[in-house]
Amino acid sequence: MKAAYIDHTGPPEVIRYGELPTPELGPNDVLVQVKAVAVNPIDTYIRAGKFPLRLRCPFIVGRDMTGIVAEVGSAVTRFRPGDRVWANNQGYAGRQGSFSEYCAVRQDLLYPLPPGADFRETVAVVHSALTAVLGLQFKAKLAAEETLFVNGGDGNVGNAIVRIAKAMGARVAVTSSNPEKAESIREAGADLVIDYKREDLPGALKNFAPEGIDIYWDATPQPDAMLAVRAAAQRGRIVFMAGANHETVFPSGRFYLKNCTLYGFTVTDATAEELADYAVEINQWLAQGILKARIDRVLPLSQAPEAHRLVESGKLLGKVVLEPERQAPYSESAE
């Protein structure tokens, strides 16, 4: 099979595209004929060696995938050939990535694609949707009619957060200084878009929610704990999900007097059971048509190095989706 892989970490140029053996199946594995994959920032960190993982080289890059079941292991009960599926948990914890014509996935890490859901659209949104679902529904537990502010909310993650939050009945404000991204996030349903370069952010938040923000979500590389706690409502919840090397002054007195809660999380330490719970919610939003992808461009899988360069440029207005070149249906005799 054709795959995009690396023999060692480094810049995008280390990604090679060529032949690798089709994965062998264990009893609980499912072989998926890949239809679409997407590039996420975490994929570039792993490829560059910035994320501490022990890689088994040649290492196939990529995390997310949509496709069709080609073959199942002897103990697989949840899937059968022909099923449409998705996964967003490959490429770490000892697992090979998704950027290949075929991908072997443990059945407990594979999820059915809802009827009507598109391969491209789904793969472009599931990673962001996972972050949104985990933060909104499982951590901060957003309730209807609450206020939500997303600092740095005009990107792919912010798009998913806004769409789900609006579907849950919240009022949502985000920051943006990019006119195109600002318009896109308004179309996603944001009630207020604040230009943080031109407007007084604390003042805008005070006008938006005079009693304080119920959920303050910071998706920027430099979260400001002082600003977050000051803007939070009594019993407000604060979410930090970026800025791994950043430090901030924490106003502990104001924090505990407001009875606030601070959440930080990653996805890489989630259990299979937790990921399955998140997938149920993601599928609910996919089935309802709530989650809409922002796709910047679609490229062939052979252009994986260029896709990584584009993501690292920071100039995209949506996801880069890659698709394997036309391939014949899987059969054992074709191996």
Side-chain angles (χ1 to χ4, degrees), residues 149 151 175 192 194-196 198-210 212-213 216 224 226-228 230-232:
F149 168 61
N151 198 22
T175 56
L192 175 66
I194 305 166
D195 185 337
Y196 64 90
R198 298 175 179 269
E199 298 182 58
D200 170 36
L201 180 55
L205 292 179
K206 186 68 174 177
N207 290 334
F208 179 71
I213 300 293
Y216 184 109
D224 185 335
M226 186 71 73
L227 177 60
R230 285 177 175 171

mmCIF file of all heavy atoms in Angstrom, residues 149 151 175 192 194-196 198-210 212-213 216 224 226-228 230-232:
data_model
loop_
_atom_site.group_PDB
_atom_site.id
_atom_site.type_symbol
_atom_site.label_atom_id
_atom_site.label_comp_id
_atom_site.label_asym_id
_atom_site.label_seq_id
_atom_site.Cartn_x
_atom_site.Cartn_y
_atom_site.Cartn_z
ATOM 1 N N PHE A 149 -17.212 32.425 26.584
ATOM 2 C CA PHE A 149 -16.260 33.248 25.854
ATOM 3 C C PHE A 149 -15.096 32.378 25.435
ATOM 4 O O PHE A 149 -14.544 31.629 26.245
ATOM 5 C CB PHE A 149 -15.749 34.398 26.727
ATOM 6 C CG PHE A 149 -14.558 35.111 26.142
ATOM 7 C CD1 PHE A 149 -14.647 35.756 24.916
ATOM 8 C CD2 PHE A 149 -13.339 35.130 26.817
ATOM 9 C CE1 PHE A 149 -13.546 36.404 24.368
ATOM 10 C CE2 PHE A 149 -12.234 35.776 26.282
ATOM 11 C CZ PHE A 149 -12.341 36.419 25.045
ATOM 12 N N ASN A 151 -11.441 32.806 23.894
ATOM 13 C CA ASN A 151 -10.331 33.657 23.501
ATOM 14 C C ASN A 151 -9.504 32.905 22.471
ATOM 15 O O ASN A 151 -9.025 31.803 22.735
ATOM 16 C CB ASN A 151 -9.480 34.006 24.730
ATOM 17 C CG ASN A 151 -8.587 35.198 24.486
ATOM 18 O OD1 ASN A 151 -8.843 36.013 23.609
ATOM 19 N ND2 ASN A 151 -7.539 35.325 25.281
ATOM 20 N N THR A 175 -12.951 36.068 20.256
ATOM 21 C CA THR A 175 -12.056 37.109 19.765
ATOM 22 C C THR A 175 -11.552 36.754 18.373
ATOM 23 O O THR A 175 -11.378 35.582 18.042
ATOM 24 C CB THR A 175 -10.832 37.304 20.683
ATOM 25 O OG1 THR A 175 -10.139 36.053 20.830
ATOM 26 C CG2 THR A 175 -11.252 37.836 22.038
ATOM 27 N N LEU A 192 -21.168 37.448 19.470
ATOM 28 C CA LEU A 192 -20.305 38.620 19.517
ATOM 29 C C LEU A 192 -18.903 38.221 19.098
ATOM 30 O O LEU A 192 -18.364 37.228 19.587
ATOM 31 C CB LEU A 192 -20.267 39.194 20.942
ATOM 32 C CG LEU A 192 -19.301 40.363 21.185
ATOM 33 C CD1 LEU A 192 -19.745 41.598 20.401
ATOM 34 C CD2 LEU A 192 -19.198 40.671 22.676
ATOM 35 N N ILE A 194 -15.182 39.915 19.026
ATOM 36 C CA ILE A 194 -14.425 41.043 19.564
ATOM 37 C C ILE A 194 -13.082 41.135 18.860
ATOM 38 O O ILE A 194 -12.325 40.162 18.847
ATOM 39 C CB ILE A 194 -14.202 40.879 21.080
ATOM 40 C CG1 ILE A 194 -15.528 40.684 21.813
ATOM 41 C CG2 ILE A 194 -13.433 42.068 21.661
ATOM 42 C CD1 ILE A 194 -15.370 40.176 23.238
ATOM 43 N N ASP A 195 -12.791 42.281 18.282
ATOM 44 C CA ASP A 195 -11.483 42.523 17.686
ATOM 45 C C ASP A 195 -10.537 42.907 18.819
ATOM 46 O O ASP A 195 -10.541 44.055 19.276
ATOM 47 C CB ASP A 195 -11.566 43.640 16.648
ATOM 48 C CG ASP A 195 -10.250 43.862 15.897
ATOM 49 O OD1 ASP A 195 -9.188 43.486 16.439
ATOM 50 O OD2 ASP A 195 -10.282 44.415 14.783
ATOM 51 N N TYR A 196 -9.744 41.958 19.289
ATOM 52 C CA TYR A 196 -8.914 42.188 20.473
ATOM 53 C C TYR A 196 -7.793 43.185 20.229
ATOM 54 O O TYR A 196 -7.215 43.710 21.187
ATOM 55 C CB TYR A 196 -8.340 40.862 20.982
ATOM 56 C CG TYR A 196 -7.385 40.177 20.032
ATOM 57 C CD1 TYR A 196 -6.026 40.430 20.077
ATOM 58 C CD2 TYR A 196 -7.856 39.272 19.094
ATOM 59 C CE1 TYR A 196 -5.152 39.806 19.210
ATOM 60 C CE2 TYR A 196 -6.987 38.647 18.214
ATOM 61 C CZ TYR A 196 -5.639 38.914 18.278
ATOM 62 O OH TYR A 196 -4.771 38.296 17.399
ATOM 63 N N ARG A 198 -8.270 46.055 18.530
ATOM 64 C CA ARG A 198 -8.860 47.385 18.457
ATOM 65 C C ARG A 198 -9.807 47.692 19.612
ATOM 66 O O ARG A 198 -10.060 48.869 19.913
ATOM 67 C CB ARG A 198 -9.626 47.542 17.135
ATOM 68 C CG ARG A 198 -8.757 47.425 15.894
ATOM 69 C CD ARG A 198 -9.599 47.476 14.629
ATOM 70 N NE ARG A 198 -8.774 47.390 13.425
ATOM 71 C CZ ARG A 198 -8.271 48.435 12.788
ATOM 72 N NH1 ARG A 198 -8.504 49.651 13.253
ATOM 73 N NH2 ARG A 198 -7.531 48.271 11.702
ATOM 74 N N GLU A 199 -10.351 46.659 20.225
ATOM 75 C CA GLU A 199 -11.359 46.870 21.267
ATOM 76 C C GLU A 199 -10.803 46.572 22.651
ATOM 77 O O GLU A 199 -9.814 45.847 22.807
ATOM 78 C CB GLU A 199 -12.580 45.979 21.000
ATOM 79 C CG GLU A 199 -13.283 46.269 19.683
ATOM 80 C CD GLU A 199 -14.508 45.383 19.496
ATOM 81 O OE1 GLU A 199 -15.408 45.429 20.356
ATOM 82 O OE2 GLU A 199 -14.557 44.642 18.491
ATOM 83 N N ASP A 200 -11.455 47.130 23.651
ATOM 84 C CA ASP A 200 -11.131 46.866 25.049
ATOM 85 C C ASP A 200 -11.781 45.534 25.435
ATOM 86 O O ASP A 200 -13.006 45.477 25.615
ATOM 87 C CB ASP A 200 -11.654 48.005 25.929
ATOM 88 C CG ASP A 200 -11.566 47.688 27.410
ATOM 89 O OD1 ASP A 200 -10.586 47.032 27.810
ATOM 90 O OD2 ASP A 200 -12.496 48.067 28.147
ATOM 91 N N LEU A 201 -10.967 44.477 25.537
ATOM 92 C CA LEU A 201 -11.515 43.150 25.771
ATOM 93 C C LEU A 201 -12.268 43.046 27.093
ATOM 94 O O LEU A 201 -13.421 42.581 27.114
ATOM 95 C CB LEU A 201 -10.410 42.094 25.683
ATOM 96 C CG LEU A 201 -10.826 40.638 25.914
ATOM 97 C CD1 LEU A 201 -11.944 40.222 24.979
ATOM 98 C CD2 LEU A 201 -9.627 39.707 25.742
ATOM 99 N N PRO A 202 -11.695 43.446 28.233
ATOM 100 C CA PRO A 202 -12.457 43.355 29.494
ATOM 101 C C PRO A 202 -13.765 44.134 29.436
ATOM 102 O O PRO A 202 -14.809 43.661 29.934
ATOM 103 C CB PRO A 202 -11.497 43.944 30.529
ATOM 104 C CG PRO A 202 -10.138 43.721 29.949
ATOM 105 C CD PRO A 202 -10.317 43.907 28.474
ATOM 106 N N GLY A 203 -13.731 45.312 28.804
ATOM 107 C CA GLY A 203 -14.958 46.105 28.699
ATOM 108 C C GLY A 203 -15.999 45.430 27.829
ATOM 109 O O GLY A 203 -17.197 45.437 28.156
ATOM 110 N N ALA A 204 -15.559 44.828 26.709
ATOM 111 C CA ALA A 204 -16.491 44.145 25.821
ATOM 112 C C ALA A 204 -17.132 42.946 26.516
ATOM 113 O O ALA A 204 -18.331 42.680 26.356
ATOM 114 C CB ALA A 204 -15.765 43.695 24.550
ATOM 115 N N LEU A 205 -16.340 42.224 27.317
ATOM 116 C CA LEU A 205 -16.885 41.073 28.040
ATOM 117 C C LEU A 205 -17.867 41.523 29.114
ATOM 118 O O LEU A 205 -18.887 40.861 29.359
ATOM 119 C CB LEU A 205 -15.747 40.257 28.663
ATOM 120 C CG LEU A 205 -14.821 39.532 27.691
ATOM 121 C CD1 LEU A 205 -13.729 38.790 28.443
ATOM 122 C CD2 LEU A 205 -15.605 38.568 26.806
ATOM 123 N N LYS A 206 -17.576 42.655 29.768
ATOM 124 C CA LYS A 206 -18.478 43.181 30.790
ATOM 125 C C LYS A 206 -19.822 43.571 30.181
ATOM 126 O O LYS A 206 -20.886 43.313 30.766
ATOM 127 C CB LYS A 206 -17.835 44.392 31.473
ATOM 128 C CG LYS A 206 -18.626 44.930 32.654
ATOM 129 C CD LYS A 206 -18.625 43.941 33.805
ATOM 130 C CE LYS A 206 -19.296 44.535 35.042
ATOM 131 N NZ LYS A 206 -19.371 43.555 36.154
ATOM 132 N N ASN A 207 -19.782 44.163 28.993
ATOM 133 C CA ASN A 207 -21.032 44.521 28.310
ATOM 134 C C ASN A 207 -21.794 43.276 27.869
ATOM 135 O O ASN A 207 -23.027 43.249 27.900
ATOM 136 C CB ASN A 207 -20.730 45.408 27.099
ATOM 137 C CG ASN A 207 -20.253 46.792 27.486
ATOM 138 O OD1 ASN A 207 -20.580 47.290 28.570
ATOM 139 N ND2 ASN A 207 -19.486 47.425 26.614
ATOM 140 N N PHE A 208 -21.050 42.254 27.437
ATOM 141 C CA PHE A 208 -21.679 41.029 26.960
ATOM 142 C C PHE A 208 -22.319 40.243 28.094
ATOM 143 O O PHE A 208 -23.416 39.676 27.937
ATOM 144 C CB PHE A 208 -20.625 40.160 26.254
ATOM 145 C CG PHE A 208 -21.133 38.856 25.728
ATOM 146 C CD1 PHE A 208 -21.976 38.802 24.647
ATOM 147 C CD2 PHE A 208 -20.745 37.650 26.314
ATOM 148 C CE1 PHE A 208 -22.445 37.603 24.139
ATOM 149 C CE2 PHE A 208 -21.200 36.444 25.825
ATOM 150 C CZ PHE A 208 -22.059 36.411 24.741
ATOM 151 N N ALA A 209 -21.642 40.200 29.246
ATOM 152 C CA ALA A 209 -22.131 39.426 30.393
ATOM 153 C C ALA A 209 -21.869 40.226 31.668
ATOM 154 O O ALA A 209 -20.837 40.033 32.320
ATOM 155 C CB ALA A 209 -21.461 38.064 30.453
ATOM 156 N N PRO A 210 -22.766 41.161 32.029
ATOM 157 C CA PRO A 210 -22.544 42.025 33.196
ATOM 158 C C PRO A 210 -22.271 41.274 34.489
ATOM 159 O O PRO A 210 -21.541 41.775 35.357
ATOM 160 C CB PRO A 210 -23.858 42.826 33.286
ATOM 161 C CG PRO A 210 -24.379 42.835 31.877
ATOM 162 C CD PRO A 210 -24.010 41.501 31.316
ATOM 163 N N GLY A 212 -20.683 38.443 34.635
ATOM 164 C CA GLY A 212 -19.506 37.602 34.440
ATOM 165 C C GLY A 212 -19.758 36.469 33.459
ATOM 166 O O GLY A 212 -20.902 36.117 33.159
ATOM 167 N N ILE A 213 -18.665 35.905 32.957
ATOM 168 C CA ILE A 213 -18.717 34.818 31.970
ATOM 169 C C ILE A 213 -18.818 33.477 32.693
ATOM 170 O O ILE A 213 -18.023 33.170 33.573
ATOM 171 C CB ILE A 213 -17.448 34.833 31.094
ATOM 172 C CG1 ILE A 213 -17.316 36.169 30.353
ATOM 173 C CG2 ILE A 213 -17.443 33.669 30.124
ATOM 174 C CD1 ILE A 213 -18.372 36.418 29.320
ATOM 175 N N TYR A 216 -15.126 30.555 30.614
ATOM 176 C CA TYR A 216 -14.074 31.322 29.947
ATOM 177 C C TYR A 216 -13.073 30.315 29.383
ATOM 178 O O TYR A 216 -12.370 29.644 30.126
ATOM 179 C CB TYR A 216 -13.393 32.252 30.954
ATOM 180 C CG TYR A 216 -12.349 33.177 30.393
ATOM 181 C CD1 TYR A 216 -12.585 34.541 30.305
ATOM 182 C CD2 TYR A 216 -11.108 32.713 29.969
ATOM 183 C CE1 TYR A 216 -11.630 35.414 29.790
ATOM 184 C CE2 TYR A 216 -10.146 33.564 29.456
ATOM 185 C CZ TYR A 216 -10.423 34.913 29.374
ATOM 186 O OH TYR A 216 -9.472 35.768 28.875
ATOM 187 N N ASP A 224 -4.086 34.079 29.939
ATOM 188 C CA ASP A 224 -3.903 35.059 31.001
ATOM 189 C C ASP A 224 -4.848 34.718 32.142
ATOM 190 O O ASP A 224 -6.060 34.968 32.063
ATOM 191 C CB ASP A 224 -4.189 36.458 30.451
ATOM 192 C CG ASP A 224 -3.905 37.570 31.445
ATOM 193 O OD1 ASP A 224 -3.943 37.315 32.661
ATOM 194 O OD2 ASP A 224 -3.672 38.714 31.005
ATOM 195 N N MET A 226 -5.116 36.030 35.119
ATOM 196 C CA MET A 226 -5.683 37.209 35.773
ATOM 197 C C MET A 226 -6.922 37.690 35.015
ATOM 198 O O MET A 226 -7.976 37.949 35.619
ATOM 199 C CB MET A 226 -4.635 38.321 35.838
ATOM 200 C CG MET A 226 -5.069 39.545 36.634
ATOM 201 S SD MET A 226 -5.134 39.220 38.409
ATOM 202 C CE MET A 226 -3.360 39.165 38.782
ATOM 203 N N LEU A 227 -6.805 37.806 33.708
ATOM 204 C CA LEU A 227 -7.941 38.233 32.898
ATOM 205 C C LEU A 227 -9.089 37.235 33.001
ATOM 206 O O LEU A 227 -10.260 37.621 33.121
ATOM 207 C CB LEU A 227 -7.512 38.386 31.440
ATOM 208 C CG LEU A 227 -8.603 38.757 30.437
ATOM 209 C CD1 LEU A 227 -9.245 40.090 30.790
ATOM 210 C CD2 LEU A 227 -8.034 38.783 29.012
ATOM 211 N N ALA A 228 -8.767 35.955 32.963
ATOM 212 C CA ALA A 228 -9.798 34.918 33.013
ATOM 213 C C ALA A 228 -10.589 34.973 34.310
ATOM 214 O O ALA A 228 -11.829 34.939 34.308
ATOM 215 C CB ALA A 228 -9.165 33.538 32.834
ATOM 216 N N ARG A 230 -10.835 37.460 36.502
ATOM 217 C CA ARG A 230 -11.574 38.721 36.615
ATOM 218 C C ARG A 230 -12.854 38.705 35.786
ATOM 219 O O ARG A 230 -13.878 39.257 36.191
ATOM 220 C CB ARG A 230 -10.687 39.885 36.181
ATOM 221 C CG ARG A 230 -9.627 40.269 37.206
ATOM 222 C CD ARG A 230 -8.734 41.374 36.681
ATOM 223 N NE ARG A 230 -7.797 41.830 37.712
ATOM 224 C CZ ARG A 230 -6.794 42.667 37.492
ATOM 225 N NH1 ARG A 230 -6.582 43.146 36.259
ATOM 226 N NH2 ARG A 230 -5.996 43.033 38.480
ATOM 227 N N ALA A 231 -12.806 38.085 34.615
ATOM 228 C CA ALA A 231 -13.974 38.067 33.730
ATOM 229 C C ALA A 231 -14.993 37.002 34.117
ATOM 230 O O ALA A 231 -16.164 37.086 33.719
ATOM 231 C CB ALA A 231 -13.525 37.826 32.292
ATOM 232 N N ALA A 232 -14.570 36.001 34.882
ATOM 233 C CA ALA A 232 -15.444 34.876 35.210
ATOM 234 C C ALA A 232 -16.575 35.283 36.148
ATOM 235 O O ALA A 232 -16.419 36.153 37.013
ATOM 236 C CB ALA A 232 -14.636 33.748 35.834
#
